[in-house]
Amino acid sequence: MGMRMVEKRLWRKLFWPDTLKGRLWILLVIVTITPIILIGFTSYYWMYKAQEEKISSNYQSMVNARKDSLEKVFANLSSVSQLLVVDGGMGDDVIEYLHNNDPVQKTEQYLAIDKSMTNIIFSSPTVNGLLFYFPDSEAPFQFESAPMQAETSKEHFMGNLFPTLYVANQLSYQGPHPSVFVGHPEAVFSLTRKIEYSLGNVFYIYLETRFAPDIKLSSKDIGASIKQLIVNPAGKVLFSQVKEISAGTLLKTGDSRLQSYKSFSAEGVNGWKELFLIPQSVYTKELNQWQIQFLLTALLSLTLTVMTVLFIWRMVYRPLSHINKEIKLFSYNQKELPQLHTRLKEFNSLFNSFQEMRQKVTGLLAEVEDKERRKAELEVEKLMSQINPHFLHNTLNTIQFLALEKGQMDIFELVKVFTRVLHYNLKKNNMIVTIREEIDALQDYIELQNIRYDHRFNIPVELDPEIEAVPIPRFVLQPLVENALYHGLQSDQGSISVTVRRTAEVILLTVADEGNGIPEERMNELLNTDKSEKSGMGIGLGYVRKMLEVYYGNGAEMTINSKIGEGTVITIRIPATLEREGF
């Protein structure tokens, strides 16, 4: 069991290493080879089929064109023979000539017939020659277009010595066979047409056309390798260029003599066939050439792919190695990181991001240390502004009861309000209160100031009820109102307004007065921690600014807008949630 586990781990480590380098190599090999195998096999299969179909289609088109060409030749022979029949054709003139005994008229008729035949020959370039054959006449061959071969006999026309291709009605197509005319050594196709005239007499019209068996192609080797067969409807071979198949033999479907050839056939309208036989070696030669080209292209593609993979490997892994090295150096508390240039924007950006992260981490650590220091300062300042709360509360309660016993209600109310304000300011359990509590404490402070100065300050407070329970640090609004009382209003005239409302995700705390305004230098002093004056409770605007930084960080902002002679507006923007819940 243990050996199997070890072997399994070894195989797993071999095919899926623990290093990025090893896994990248395996993935690159898989990504490289898999598409080549799948796409290459599919492409090869379908391209092979398409190439084979293309070659077969070309050869089939050739044999179809050859068959159509012969059909046109046969149709032309039939059309020309139509000019030579009786009852409207030249055959009437020939019959009249044969039965005319007047020498003069007969000569004129002969010349006219000969002229007509000459016109027919010249108007039909495919016609090699023609004649009239009268089997019952002492001179059976009449009006030959050229001298005839000496060995041509009646048996060729009556004994079917010409190989018959097919018969259609009174038309008999023969060939290929030697020409009956002198000066025409090439093989020909011929047409024999039987014509009946008065009282059952017959004569025959004979026409022949040249037969050119050579296939003219752009590639002489392929053209010379094509072997032709012409077979009549009965399966008899009339013409053959194949040694194994001689003319006059029968050709059957699946004939063993065709095994070494790739055959393509086209059948004529009347059942005769034209066959092209291509040796298997010639037929597959084009496919083999294509296969070689495909393999060369595949090898070239594979080489380019491997080179590309190696290039990608170097392009990706080397910068990663450098970055990893620099990170390790940083992990050993390296003070400064050198600039890394990988010639790739992405990796340069990654390394720059790492440096920025390092700087931010260092900055965050420094910021935490600074906040802790400010927290300690706030605690010290808070402690310095406090006295023994129990002694102070007990003393104030004694004064409050003595005033009540003596009937001094003004003193009683003053001490009562002052006690609430003092209790709020000296509360130690938490620096975080709700906005509602801050507003209540502010109103107690305003009431205390009214009693102290025997004047009703006009300080309306507008609070959005939806945000009454939102937590905020203590002593945010009181210093702002106190600053407006001491520095904003120079007389009993004017007013101060306090507004707390919500805008989107931000809460705005605004204290506005209609005093004489604050000079710019004075505003800078008020916002400066070291130079801000403290209020009667020992808390100034600098303290408020530090508290906002401690609890909200960069999420809070305090601005002072003041115009001389018009007044001052102090606005604090804070998020709806605290960054810190207190300390």
Side-chain angles (χ1 to χ4, degrees), residues 562-574:
S562 183
K563 292 184 180 181
I564 302 301
E566 296 184 10
T568 303
V569 177
I570 301 178
T571 303
I572 295 177
R573 284 185 181 84
I574 60 173

Side-chain angles (χ1 to χ4, degrees), residues 442 445-446 459 477-485 496 498 511:
L442 176 63
Y445 172 77
I446 294 171
I459 307 179
L477 289 175
Q478 179 181 317
L480 305 185
V481 174
E482 187 170 1
N483 182 78
L485 288 174
I496 301 172
V498 178
V511 177

Side-chain angles (χ1 to χ4, degrees), residues 66 70 186-187 189 209-216 228 239:
R66 183 71 172 177
L70 291 179
E186 70 275 3
F189 280 106
T209 185
R210 299 178 185 87
F211 170 60
D214 295 334
I215 305 299
K216 295 181 180 180
Q228 294 183 72
F239 174 79

Side-chain angles (χ1 to χ4, degrees), residues 392-402 415 419:
L392 187 60
H393 288 166
N394 292 335
T395 302
L396 289 174
N397 286 334
T398 301
I399 295 172
Q400 185 179 0
F401 286 121
L402 288 174
V415 174
T419 301

Side-chain angles (χ1 to χ4, degrees), residues 194-209:
K194 182 178 180 181
I195 306 297
E196 296 182 357
Y197 63 102
S198 59
L199 300 176
N201 295 319
V202 297
F203 70 89
Y204 296 88
I205 300 170
Y206 174 83
L207 300 97
E208 67 179 31
T209 185

Side-chain angles (χ1 to χ4, degrees), residues 518-533 541-542 545 558 560 562:
I518 305 174
E520 185 175 355
E521 313 84 52
R522 183 59 178 162
M523 281 194 295
N524 294 332
E525 291 180 2
L526 291 174
L527 289 174
N528 188 287
T529 303
D530 298 329
K531 295 183 180 180
S532 63
E533 295 181 359
L541 294 183
R545 186 173 67 84
M558 183 170 67
I560 300 178
S562 183

Side-chain angles (χ1 to χ4, degrees), residues 442-461:
L442 176 63
Q443 290 175 338
D444 286 339
Y445 172 77
I446 294 171
E447 180 65 23
L448 183 63
Q449 295 298 326
N450 288 333
I451 296 172
R452 177 183 176 187
Y453 293 103
D454 195 19
H455 173 75
R456 302 300 297 180
F457 292 102
N458 184 17
I459 307 179
V461 178

